[in-house]
Amino acid sequence: DAGVIQSPRHEVTEMGQEVTLRCKPISGHNSLFWYRQTMMRGLELLIYFNNNVPIDDSGMPEDRFSAKMPNASFSTLKIQPSEPRDSAVYFCASSFPLTGGEQFFGPGTRLTVL
Amino acid sequence: GNSVTQMEGPVTLSEEAFLTINCTYTATGYPSLFWYVQYPGEGLQLLLKATKADDKGSNKGFEATYRKETTSFHLEKGSVQVSDSAVYFCALRETSGSRLTFGEGTQLTVNP
């Protein structure tokens, strides 16, 4: 299995631009998670989906952030408009609770907003 | 609510030293417990897990035992290597549900 796939791996953009991060979970996994990691705040859960349905988005910082999961094999996290304080590494993870619930993480997208 | 508390880092050891990273948790019911490791520039990887009291998870020389009486899941390794330098995260998952609650992470540096 290819594992969780994220794209792009690196993104540099200017303040005010729209940013879209993409994630392909492991085939067969039915839970998907978006995290943000920074030195100041550590690892934060932004939102997670079960069976393509958003379950808890309480970690989404504000309305500038949105996430979708149109099907079981694809999810996006969008920031519009982006701000310098959004600079972080964004991780996607997937799991299948019935087989132990451990989450498998992608390699992350390093976002820099200038 | 659920919470996980890890010993504060960073931790610096010499090669072949004994490692302990403390982890305690607060949860209702009978959570599953995990240790994840994050190497520089990479995502988190599952290191080991335990799903019930007194279970011992082990992998790559690392061990942790699920202690319900002390609500702990301390990570140990008898002889660390330079390649073990990474950030280690303790986490729990409730009996029902799929989300994990992570600790703050502990940076380990092993010097030759």
Side-chain angles (χ1 to χ4, degrees), chain A residues 31 33 56 67 108:
Chain A
S31 294
F33 306 81
D56 183 355

Side-chain angles (χ1 to χ4, degrees), chain A residues 31 33 35 37 43 45 48 50 56 91 97 99-103 105-107, chain B residues 32 34 36 38 41-46 49 89 93 97-100 102 104:
Chain A
S31 294
F33 306 81
Y35 292 90
Q37 187 177 40
L43 187 67
L45 176 66
Y48 79 96
N50 278 351
D56 183 355
F91 290 104
T99 59
E102 56 262 40
Q103 293 181 16
F105 281 73
Chain B
S32 295
F34 305 86
Y36 280 81
Q38 184 179 27
E42 298 183 11
L44 280 69
Q45 303 174 25
L46 179 66
K49 69 177 183 180
F89 292 89
R93 182 178 74 93
S98 52
R99 65 177 295 167
L100 295 179
F102 284 92
E104 294 297 311

Side-chain angles (χ1 to χ4, degrees), chain A:
Chain A
D1 199 318
V4 176
I5 299 173
Q6 291 187 248
S7 64
R9 292 294 310 275
H10 302 272
E11 177 80 32
V12 179
T13 191
E14 293 188 347
M15 183 173 62
Q17 296 298 303
E18 178 179 294
V19 175
T20 299
L21 311 182
R22 297 172 175 80
C23 175
K24 177 178 171 55
I26 293 173
S27 177
H29 283 191
N30 65 343
S31 294
L32 184 139
F33 306 81
W34 283 101
Y35 292 90
R36 178 172 68 176
Q37 187 177 40
T38 62
M39 290 293 293
M40 291 296 294
R41 300 174 69 91
L43 187 67
E44 304 173 275
L45 176 66
L46 301 178
I47 185 172
Y48 79 96
F49 297 82
N50 278 351
N51 297 315
N52 312 337
V53 177
I55 301 301
D56 183 355
D57 65 355
S58 61
M60 296 286 263
E62 49 198 270
D63 292 345
R64 297 185 297 107
F65 285 68
S66 62
K68 294 182 180 179
M69 191 165 186
N71 57 62
S73 59
F74 184 66
S75 178
T76 60
L77 178 67
K78 185 177 295 185
I79 308 173
Q80 167 62 20
S82 58
E83 297 182 2
R85 61 191 167 125
D86 302 330
S87 297
V89 181
Y90 291 81
F91 290 104
C92 176
S94 70
S95 73
F96 186 61
L98 295 182
T99 59
E102 56 262 40
Q103 293 181 16
F104 294 81
F105 281 73
T109 295
R110 181 172 295 278
L111 173 64
T112 302
V113 183
L114 303 175

Side-chain angles (χ1 to χ4, degrees), chain A residues 97 100-101, chain B residues 30-34 91-101:
Chain B
Y30 302 92
S32 295
L33 301 174
F34 305 86
L92 70 80
R93 182 178 74 93
E94 290 181 353
T95 307
S96 61
S98 52
R99 65 177 295 167
L100 295 179
T101 300

